[in-house]
Amino acid sequence: MAKGTGASPGIAIGKAFVLPAWEWDLSDEMVGVDDLALEFEKLYDGIRSSKDELQHIKKDIFNLIGEEESNIFDAHLAILEDPIFMNEVQGIMQRQFKVAEVAVKETIDKFVNMFELLDDSYMKERSADIRDVGNRLLKHLLGELDEPAPPANHPYILVSKELSPSQLAHLDNQQMLGIVTLQGGATSHAAIMARALEVPFVLGMEGKLEKPIVTGDLLIIDGEDGIVYVNPVQELVEEYIQRKKSLLAHREWLQEIVNVPPVTLDGQFMELKANISSLKELDLALKNGASGVGLFRTEFIYLDRTTLPKEEEQFEVYRQAAEKLQGKSLIIRTLDIGGDKSAGFISIPEEDNPSLGYRAIRISLDRRDIFKTQLKAILRASHYGSIKIMYPMISSIDEVRKANLVLDQAKKELIELQQPFDAEIEVGIMIEVPAAVIIADQLAEEVQFFSIGTNDLTQYVLAVDRMNETIAHLYDPYHPAIIRMLKMTVDAAQRQGIPVSVCGELAGDVRAIPLWLDLGINELSMSVQSLLTFKNRFIHTRKSASKKLIEQAIACKTSEQIHLLLEQCRRLN
């Protein structure tokens, strides 16, 4: 057994097909001055062919994975149109008299190395996109147009060093049982596409395998836990066949409670909403019975592009989301980039600690042009449904007031243009930094609702970067300090009479159900995949079993004691 990172859930059992890596045997031949014009023409032809091919891929993949995920290929098109990239290629050709393919290869290598050295996991994963675009262009320059492909009409588990979106787009989704890659991250474009296609995916296996996987090896992969077995014994194969059957049966069974109200055995109702990043995720959320969207992460409209999304483009996304919800609540979080999420259209300086740096509301208040455009798009969409606005990473009243001034300006401009919008649209904030918890009583006087982001709150309270493998074990949302922070926030909201929800990963953790019941939380927003599993546990729970739990949890000195309390509550149900 080898353990990597689960990037797309599910179990797959089948024979491996190892995707050959692109290898280019390029000549060092120099080009004469008279032939440079022909080389430039070859370069431009290759770019045109690559762009045409990408447009066809985007069109073909659209029907499989939807608009947002298919827009991944817009980022690839943007690279081919990037003047910095093209100037580098042309410069090598002009200064060093190298053929087009050599200049492209050297440019790709330069940019890939540069991105991989960045201390930013998201940007590191973009190096795979640059390499993918470069390979596509080289393929056209060299006339090698055949994509490496597995045997036709034969199920397989794809194995590769890394996987690009265009490689994934060329493969037969009906025959591909699962994916294993040595490199890559959960926010890579290939991982996003795999989740959209519902294909189990395990990545990050480099250095984890005893020996390389070869085509024909029998594999078992668990995309939930990130486990890979190579040539397992038959008993293990039979065990996982049964697990897969049970998993599929359980998913089908959970669908039977989609329309069951989320009410405890003793009558306590809970709003169960979804965290989404795209319209496709919204479709799945509604299929799984979500009563609305508690967190729409709008930054994914902005990422992987070199130009800002226009107001009309954003409006269309928000409008469609509002209409799909048919009156159910849609909470749209304003732009939350920075930290581990970068965008090409905005200059974010290199920082020693990006999580504490130039990000989220700080960028919005600094770039009010970007912020106001987004707010106008949200306001316009509010005419088509029940929309609320939420500001991220708030740490002071001053930030809320400044953000609301921009919102007021956006409203005035829309009134002048006679654009309809919800004049009474509610505004809330994320509670995700300790400062916000400490002044929650004052913040509650400024806004209409709170949403607790437990992921960042835990990171900031405990001073733990959960992406750092060395200290990830210290990231503990059940730490006594976190429980106290939760109670302080809820108490402040309740005194002011405003609702408070939870939208971090802890919201969807079934172990936390007694906490939410005793705290008086009546709205949770979680990942789409957690909705039905959480509801199933919730409807078999009694609120009475959680009575005075928070009072006891506040007295606990360790997270182990808190876990014991929660387990006792579970046993009482």
Side-chain angles (χ1 to χ4, degrees), residues 109-403:
D109 290 344
K110 174 182 176 178
F111 281 96
V112 165
N113 291 335
M114 183 172 67
F115 272 66
E116 287 181 343
L117 289 172
L118 294 174
D119 187 22
D120 182 322
S121 60
Y122 183 86
M123 294 306 291
K124 282 181 179 178
E125 288 170 12
R126 300 291 73 79
S127 66
D129 296 310
I130 297 172
R131 189 160 30 239
D132 188 28
V133 171
N135 284 332
R136 181 173 305 286
L137 181 51
L138 285 169
K139 180 183 71 171
H140 284 285
L141 292 173
L142 295 168
E144 299 180 16
L145 302 180
D146 291 333
E147 296 276 355
N153 302 318
H154 192 280
Y156 61 91
I157 293 176
L158 184 72
V159 180
S160 66
K161 183 174 182 180
E162 63 181 357
L163 187 64
S164 70
S166 59
Q167 286 175 312
L168 187 50
H170 279 292
L171 296 166
D172 184 352
N173 180 48
Q174 300 302 313
Q175 299 296 329
M176 185 166 53
L177 304 173
I179 304 169
V180 177
T181 62
L182 302 184
Q183 299 176 354
T187 60
S188 69
H189 282 153
I192 292 168
M193 286 178 64
R195 288 192 288 273
L197 292 167
E198 299 183 342
V199 175
F201 188 0
V202 177
L203 49 78
M205 295 302 298
E206 194 161 52
K208 310 287 180 63
L209 297 162
E210 292 183 3
K211 59 182 182 179
I213 298 172
V214 298
T215 295
D217 279 343
L218 179 64
L219 303 181
I220 298 173
I221 71 169
D222 183 337
E224 182 74 38
D225 296 328
I227 294 172
V228 176
Y229 293 94
V230 183
N231 294 320
V233 297
Q234 187 59 33
E235 290 81 1
L236 194 60
V237 173
E238 294 296 333
E239 178 186 331
Y240 269 88
I241 288 173
Q242 292 306 314
R243 283 194 191 186
K244 184 174 181 178
K245 287 180 180 178
S246 298
L247 178 63
L248 294 174
H250 183 64
R251 286 180 180 173
E252 288 181 12
W253 178 79
L254 284 176
Q255 283 295 316
E256 295 180 7
I257 65 168
V258 165
N259 297 317
V260 173
V263 179
T264 62
L265 293 170
D266 48 1
Q268 178 62 47
F269 178 78
M270 178 75 75
E271 287 272 7
L272 298 184
K273 298 183 176 180
N275 301 333
I276 67 166
S277 303
S278 69
L279 295 175
K280 186 174 181 64
E281 271 192 293
L282 175 55
D283 291 336
L284 187 56
L286 292 172
K287 179 184 174 184
N288 286 352
S291 62
V293 170
L295 172 61
F296 187 172
R297 301 183 181 95
T298 60
E299 54 270 20
F300 289 92
I301 301 172
Y302 292 77
L303 299 178
D304 302 321
R305 55 193 302 159
T306 55
T307 58
L308 281 164
K310 297 186 184 301
E311 179 187 320
E312 195 66 27
E313 179 183 346
Q314 295 184 62
F315 161 69
E316 279 300 320
V317 174
Y318 307 146
R319 179 188 63 78
Q320 289 181 51
E323 289 182 340
K324 282 175 180 284
L325 283 163
Q326 297 181 336
K328 296 175 181 175
S329 175
L330 169 62
I331 299 178
I332 299 178
R333 183 177 70 185
T334 59
L335 182 59
D336 186 6
I337 58 170
D340 62 346
K341 299 186 286 289
S342 300
F345 57 81
I346 210 166
S347 177
I348 299 178
E350 186 174 338
E351 299 174 306
D352 291 334
N353 195 333
S355 294
L356 302 180
Y358 187 56
R359 58 172 297 196
I361 197 66
R362 298 168 182 177
I363 291 177
S364 293
L365 293 178
D366 186 47
R367 290 294 307 272
R368 297 191 184 196
D369 55 329
I370 297 174
F371 190 33
K372 186 165 65 173
T373 297
Q374 181 178 33
L375 290 174
K376 286 170 71 176
I378 295 171
L379 285 169
R380 288 174 58 195
S382 70
H383 181 65
Y384 297 87
S386 178
I387 290 179
K388 300 178 184 181
I389 297 171
M390 183 162 65
Y391 304 138
M393 205 183 174
I394 292 294
S395 59
S396 70
I397 287 175
D398 193 43
E399 286 173 333
V400 176
R401 291 176 176 172
K402 286 179 179 177

Side-chain angles (χ1 to χ4, degrees), residues 17-22 148-149 159 167:
F17 168 73
V18 180
L19 189 67
W22 284 108
V159 180
Q167 286 175 312

Side-chain angles (χ1 to χ4, degrees), residues 470-482:
T470 307
I471 59 170
H473 64 285
L474 299 174
Y475 179 90
D476 180 10
Y478 291 97
H479 189 288
I482 305 300

Side-chain angles (χ1 to χ4, degrees), residues 68-88:
E68 284 75 26
E69 287 82 0
S70 65
N71 283 341
I72 283 168
F73 294 99
D74 288 338
H76 289 206
L77 287 163
I79 293 170
L80 289 171
E81 296 170 349
D82 191 321
I84 297 174
F85 173 76
M86 288 309 304
N87 287 342
E88 184 73 22

Side-chain angles (χ1 to χ4, degrees), residues 262-270 494 512-522 524 534 537-538 541-550 569 573:
V263 179
T264 62
L265 293 170
D266 48 1
Q268 178 62 47
F269 178 78
M270 178 75 75
Q494 290 176 344
I513 288 174
L515 285 176
W516 309 139
L517 288 171
D518 200 40
L519 274 170
I521 296 287
N522 55 20
L524 299 168
F534 187 94
R537 174 69 71 86
F538 188 80
T541 300
R542 289 181 176 83
K543 181 181 180 180
S544 58
S546 306
K547 191 174 181 181
K548 295 187 177 180
L549 172 72
I550 291 300
C569 288
N573 286 291

Side-chain angles (χ1 to χ4, degrees), residues 56-66 69-71 73 165 168-170 193 197:
H56 283 298
I57 291 173
K58 180 182 175 181
K59 184 178 179 181
D60 291 342
I61 204 73
F62 173 86
N63 294 325
L64 284 176
I65 62 176
E69 287 82 0
S70 65
N71 283 341
F73 294 99
L168 187 50
H170 279 292
M193 286 178 64
L197 292 167

